Amino acid sequence: MEKIKQLQQDFADFLAHTNLNGQPKELYEPISYTLLQSGKRLRPMLCLLANEMFDGDEQQALWPALALETFHNFTLIHDDIMDKAPLRRGKETVYQKWNADIAILSGDAMLAMAFQYALKPKKGAELAQQLGRVAIEICEGQQMDLNFETLGNVTIAEYLEMIRLKTAVLLATALQMGATVAGASEADIQHLYDFGIAMGMSFQLQDDILDLYSDVAVFGKRHGGDIADNKKTYLYMKALELASDKDRKRLEHLFTLRMDHDEEEKIEEVQAIYDHLHVKEAVEQVMLDYDRKAIEALAAVDLPEEKKKHLRTYAELLSGRKK
Amino acid sequence: MEKIKQLQQDFADFLAHTNLNGQPKELYEPISYTLLQSGKRLRPMLCLLANEMFDGDEQQALWPALALETFHNFTLIHDDIMDKAPLRRGKETVYQKWNADIAILSGDAMLAMAFQYALKPKKGAELAQQLGRVAIEICEGQQMDLNFETLGNVTIAEYLEMIRLKTAVLLATALQMGATVAGASEADIQHLYDFGIAMGMSFQLQDDILDLYSDVAVFGKRHGGDIADNKKTYLYMKALELASDKDRKRLEHLFTLRMDHDEEEKIEEVQAIYDHLHVKEAVEQVMLDYDRKAIEALAAVDLPEEKKKHLRTYAELLSGRKK
């Protein structure tokens, strides 16, 4: 825990010393506004923890960590335009506070800045290649997500591929970049990448479950928000798979209703169908499969157990399995 | 001329063999739609000509050439969203043919692809750094241009800085990348960069002049379009500087009138003021200063005159001084 807190502080200090000012201010203010908001700093932390596992130089690893955080925030700024989202982390989005043009441009500049940061340390070309590949994958994932909003029949395989591209690959790449800058072997870099994919998939499925089945006060979002928004999560996909013809038709109908409908009533009815079909348990089963894959991948990294403990602790903290 | 045609053909072949397909198709179709349109390929050509000057390996230089073309087209796709432009090169823009979300995302993917391409040849890290720097500068230039639309008083110095960032730096970087991949000296790379800046500034001023003073059929745009759109070009800025109080007030008023006003009448009146103030000649004088700077920068490149002839011929072709 001490190590984790120290790395979080080191990243915060590094970010605070990064010059995010420039002209014209209309371009740079949204960048510092976004990057300096408090956040989990999940991707930088994975990068720094992977680097630390292999005894890498932390000063070098802070650059890809900054690249990852800058890149991640670029994706949020552009996603918020597409979602017309007014709020993010309880604050106005760039799209809302300024406008769509400024959100496009400051996002573009952040994507370029992310490459500049990735190129700074030794092995910069390799890190930038990893960033380039994941950037393209995330665009693919976001486009799939946009498609799913209008497409009728999405398969479970397509849904899993979408969340792999939209969420898991960036966590995996964060670990990959940390291990790369530390000079880990190809094989170990791949094991950590696999660990990141499995962990990312598990996190996303857990998010889907928590949206409906968590104590609101803990999770901080409205209960059943995904159902109210007709979001086709894994719970919904799994329910369609397990449902009788009658339940499937009813679910499909409920997921066409717009906000003017009684939201609470709709959420309750959907949840009743989910519970009847034991959807939560089915999704938890898939989550456990990913957790097992993650454990196997981390076990395969050719390092003594002692070296892996900080990353393992951090992953457990994130999943809520460790307080 | 043979050399120029050959390089154009080589780039066309290289682009035709680049795999621009991928899934989901909603992301990739706008990319191939945009990149495979015929265009001048100005930036790839500058890159290949600079590489050729220093006897570089053309197969290596085709990568930064492709990076530049992909990058340039990314900027057009995002600019067209901001301008709500329906047409580009006589074809529907991505924004118009698909929608703003797809234009944002496929543009983002192209920016990442540009870095991937720049990283391919030897000296990839250096090329990617050059691309990153120019990408940020172009965002700054575009933001300045957006600001100028609403700001009242823009100085000539600010206008020149805007066109430097929006247009000239990418031409300069194209030459820089070609010289870099060929292994030219730091000093020669800088001279070519300076040549590109001066050439880019001259081209932009020429564009401003041609918009009003060219034969419509040759230039292919409507006569006086910049005046009709209230675009604050260098002609307008120079006119304000040279004008009497009365003329200045009249010009400023005319440049607030919207399209419902009689367009032809407005263009004629503005042109009459410009002619009376000899604005065209004043702008041509500034253009000639940039041309002189360009000639000096190219002369400073430490190579025999023979080696510079293709780039010089190409620049003359572009400026219309050679047919």
Side-chain angles (χ1 to χ4, degrees), chain B residues 101-201:
Chain B
D101 289 353
I102 284 180
I104 292 172
L105 265 183
S106 51
D108 290 346
M110 285 169 85
L111 178 50
M113 286 161 70
F115 280 99
Q116 296 289 75
Y117 296 144
L119 286 160
K120 287 262 186 192
K122 56 182 185 247
K123 303 198 184 239
E126 220 171 312
L127 297 170
Q129 265 156 1
Q130 292 165 351
L131 183 64
R133 197 210 51 244
V134 79
I136 293 167
E137 288 176 330
I138 282 177
C139 290
E140 292 171 352
Q142 173 67 4
Q143 184 63 54
M144 284 180 85
D145 201 8
L146 291 176
N147 290 351
F148 289 177
E149 281 174 24
T150 47
L151 281 181
N153 46 348
V154 176
T155 66
I156 284 200
E158 286 168 336
Y159 178 81
L160 289 175
E161 176 63 0
M162 186 273 284
I163 64 175
R164 187 183 75 84
L165 291 168
K166 214 183 146 168
T167 304
V169 289
L170 189 55
L171 306 189
T173 301
L175 292 162
Q176 181 188 41
M177 287 171 87
T180 299
V181 76
S185 72
E186 286 291 320
D188 281 346
I189 293 173
Q190 186 62 48
H191 292 315
L192 270 191
Y193 186 88
D194 295 343
F195 169 75
I197 294 287
M199 180 182 67
M201 298 300 285

Side-chain angles (χ1 to χ4, degrees), chain A residues 23-24 26-28 74 78 81-82 101-102 104-105 108-109 111-113 115-116 119 125 128-129 132-133 135-136 139-140 142-144 146-147, chain B residues 23-24 26-28 74 78 81-82 101-102 104-105 108-109 111-113 115-116 119 125 128-129 132-133 135-136 139-140 142-144 146-147:
Chain A
Q23 289 296 328
E26 289 79 3
L27 183 71
Y28 285 94
F74 138 74
H78 278 195
I81 307 171
M82 301 179 214
D101 288 353
I102 284 180
I104 291 172
L105 266 182
D108 290 346
L111 178 50
M113 286 162 70
F115 280 98
Q116 296 289 76
L119 286 160
Q129 265 156 1
R133 198 210 50 244
I136 293 166
C139 291
E140 291 172 351
Q142 172 68 4
Q143 185 63 55
M144 284 180 85
L146 291 176
N147 290 351
Chain B
Q23 289 298 330
E26 290 79 2
L27 183 70
Y28 285 94
F74 137 74
H78 278 195
I81 307 171
M82 299 179 215
D101 289 353
I102 284 180
I104 292 172
L105 265 183
D108 290 346
L111 178 50
M113 286 161 70
F115 280 99
Q116 296 289 75
L119 286 160
Q129 265 156 1
R133 197 210 51 244
I136 293 167
C139 290
E140 292 171 352
Q142 173 67 4
Q143 184 63 54
M144 284 180 85
L146 291 176
N147 290 351

Side-chain angles (χ1 to χ4, degrees), chain A residues 258-300:
Chain A
R258 293 285 156 198
M259 274 180 261
D260 49 336
H261 191 82
D262 184 331
E263 203 173 83
E264 279 309 312
E265 202 178 293
K266 172 178 159 185
I267 294 169
E268 268 179 41
E269 186 178 351
V270 171
Q271 185 166 355
I273 299 176
Y274 286 180
D275 289 348
H276 162 68
L277 297 168
H278 301 289
V279 164
K280 180 169 177 253
E281 292 71 19
V283 177
E284 280 171 344
Q285 199 52 54
V286 180
M287 242 182 80
L288 288 176
D289 285 348
Y290 282 116
D291 287 343
R292 207 194 50 246
K293 278 184 197 159
I295 290 165
E296 284 171 10
L298 192 55

Side-chain angles (χ1 to χ4, degrees), chain A residues 11 15 29-30 38 58 71 93 139 161 179-180 194 231 289:
Chain A
F11 183 74
L15 186 56
E29 279 178 1
S38 56
E58 192 185 326
F71 173 80
T93 58
C139 291
E161 177 63 1
T180 299
D194 295 343
K231 219 178 136 199
D289 285 348

